[in-house]
Amino acid sequence: MSMKPDDELLALWVEDELDATAAAEVEAWVAGQPEWHERREQARWSRSLLGSAFADDDEVPHAEFFNARIRREIEVTEVRSAAPPRERTIPWMWLMPATAAACMVFGFMLGRGGGSSEVTAPIATMAPVLYTPEKGVEAEYVSDDEATVIVLAGVDAIPDSWEIPETAMIEPEPSRMADASPKR
């Protein structure tokens, strides 16, 4: 056999389940395929290992129960697929467009009845609450038209020698730097 056999024939050959003529044809192709010989040997080893783990005279527990359940599920599936699908008719289907139109009119009327069309958001009268994750730190919020300041009490001062690390700085993109440079 010069052509590759189909997957089903190869699987049967690996499991030693082909008759002599089909096995000879597959073996002619497999002669040049060492990976298929390795797969066959692994399958034989697995079967021998499993065969030694189970005694030959052991029956599957409750086999009749499982077979009966499988048979019943197959029959139910066949009956469902053979039955024609029921047509669903809704007698009140003609009411749906009328209901939608009534809802639209109601919504329009509700929207017009407010008097003022301007909606204002409520303004919070409370001062913001500042959360500090460390015990002993108190925060005070001071704000006016020009600036907002948060004063922290209970935090060590930052020394003047401390510099912002370079990793915290965002480098501008070269194309933006060229655009921002003064033109002469």
Side-chain angles (χ1 to χ4, degrees), residues 127-132 137-143 148-153:
V129 176
L130 297 175
Y131 167 75
T132 56
V137 175
E138 294 180 16
E140 183 182 346
Y141 173 82
V142 180
S143 179
T148 299
V149 178
I150 299 174
V151 179
L152 297 175

Side-chain angles (χ1 to χ4, degrees), residues 6 18 32 43 46-47 52-53 60 66 68 76 78 82 109 121 128 145 157 162 182:
D6 64 348
L18 287 178
S46 298
R47 275 194 309 272
S52 65
V60 177
F66 289 117
V76 167
E78 288 174 352
M109 298 292 277
D145 292 336
W162 187 78

Side-chain angles (χ1 to χ4, degrees), residues 39-165:
R39 287 183 189 180
R40 189 178 199 187
E41 290 306 314
Q42 287 177 348
R44 286 177 176 171
W45 178 79
S46 298
R47 275 194 309 272
S48 68
L49 182 66
L50 289 174
S52 65
F54 296 107
D56 291 337
D57 57 347
D58 286 347
E59 288 187 28
V60 177
H62 312 292
E64 291 176 15
F65 171 74
F66 289 117
N67 289 336
R69 289 288 307 258
I70 292 170
R71 199 173 313 111
R72 189 172 127 234
E73 288 298 320
I74 291 171
E75 289 170 359
V76 167
T77 305
E78 288 174 352
V79 168
R80 283 186 192 149
S81 63
R86 286 185 6 206
E87 289 186 31
R88 293 182 59 183
T89 58
I90 301 173
W92 47 270
M93 190 66 140
W94 58 273
L95 285 175
M96 291 180 77
T99 306
C103 288
M104 287 174 48
V105 169
F106 179 71
F108 180 73
M109 298 292 277
L110 190 65
R112 289 195 57 172
S116 173
S117 62
E118 186 176 324
V119 177
T120 58
I123 298 173
T125 58
M126 296 175 45
V129 176
L130 297 175
Y131 167 75
T132 56
E134 295 184 26
K135 289 184 178 181
V137 175
E138 294 180 16
E140 183 182 346
Y141 173 82
V142 180
S143 179
D144 62 7
D145 292 336
E146 294 181 20
T148 299
V149 178
I150 299 174
V151 179
L152 297 175
V155 178
D156 294 336
I158 298 174
D160 291 334
S161 63
W162 187 78
E163 303 230 0
I164 297 175

